[in-house]
Amino acid sequence: MRPQPSIRPYRPADRAAVADICVRTALDGGDSRARYPDEELLPSIFAAPYCHLEPELAFVLDDGSGSPVGYVLGTADTEQFVKNFRTAWLPRVAGRYPEPSAEPRTPSEEMIVLLHTPERMILPDLAAHPAHLHIDLLPDWQRRGFGRGLMRTFLAALHDRGVPAVHLGMVTANVAARAFYDRLGFHEIPVPDPGPLTYLGRPTAVGTL
């Protein structure tokens, strides 16, 4: 009988696979390795800290053989996460990615600036949506209903914790991702000077999702 894919909690053994998924989906939904050749950099900002700081809110899509092919992860409380990122996560990675002393000159240096400024995640306009998330699936596993399943699992976990609403920041140019979030009931949250991002939010109550 062919193994069936399933959604399950993140395990420490999934770390490398989660990092690989992050890298292969980080550039407007596509492979980021040509732009960011250090394959640990983007996961150190957008994936690994969530698995380390709030593993109970990290879930993977298992292909049926034990290998993750997608994930959803995030935090129930963005303000607290930012504090923990600075005090408990940055010291773990700052040796490999020291804080820049000059203006960034490359895409990788721009990302290292983001790594060292977690406070950028706290925006007053997002206060009513205290949780935030990241969700990514490898291309072969997209448009098959698995993203919806991952989102349902994550929202239910937040709702069980009494968290009323969640937000995310997506690259505005990623129109495929926007269509996905629209189908899942996310709405745009106006934010002054959002740069290349669009912020979306929705209640955590799963309803008919």
Side-chain angles (χ1 to χ4, degrees):
M1 185 175 178
R2 186 175 182 179
Q4 294 298 305
S6 63
I7 295 168
R8 60 167 174 79
Y10 168 84
R11 300 191 289 246
D14 300 325
R15 180 188 181 282
V18 165
D20 181 62
I21 296 165
C22 177
V23 166
R24 292 167 63 187
T25 58
L27 187 59
D28 297 344
D31 198 313
S32 67
R33 284 174 286 192
R35 183 174 293 186
Y36 306 103
D38 182 339
E39 295 184 29
E40 287 292 323
L41 176 56
L42 296 186
S44 294
I45 305 169
F46 301 114
Y50 297 90
C51 296
H52 179 72
L53 296 171
E54 296 189 51
E56 69 279 6
L57 286 176
F59 303 92
V60 302
L61 174 62
D62 188 311
D63 68 358
S65 69
S67 298
V69 290
Y71 62 73
V72 62
L73 40 82
T75 177
D77 183 339
T78 297
E79 289 197 18
Q80 186 60 50
F81 177 79
V82 166
K83 294 175 184 176
N84 294 341
F85 191 107
R86 180 160 293 284
T87 60
W89 178 251
L90 263 180
R92 298 174 65 91
V93 296
R96 179 166 181 154
Y97 305 113
E99 186 168 8
S101 58
E103 286 295 311
R105 295 173 297 174
T106 67
S108 291
E109 289 177 357
E110 291 173 355
M111 285 295 157
I112 294 171
V113 170
L114 292 185
L115 174 68
H116 284 272
T117 54
E119 290 76 17
R120 65 189 158 74
M121 293 185 250
I122 301 175
L123 299 173
D125 304 271
L126 303 175
H129 299 74
H132 76 260
L133 67 88
H134 297 277
I135 182 170
D136 291 297
L137 292 99
L138 293 177
D140 287 348
W141 296 86
Q142 296 173 13
R143 294 175 292 277
R144 295 168 59 183
F146 296 121
R148 183 181 292 269
L150 283 168
M151 189 69 77
R152 186 186 298 115
T153 300
F154 185 80
L155 292 175
L158 289 178
H159 194 257
D160 288 347
R161 289 166 170 75
V163 181
V166 62
H167 75 268
L168 59 90
M170 57 155 284
V171 176
T172 304
N174 191 348
V175 294
R178 178 60 190 268
F180 167 72
Y181 295 127
D182 286 348
R183 289 195 297 271
L184 298 187
F186 282 81
H187 62 273
E188 189 165 340
I189 305 172
V191 169
D193 303 317
L197 300 181
T198 295
Y199 291 92
L200 305 174
R202 61 155 289 158
T204 59
V206 174
T208 58
L209 178 65

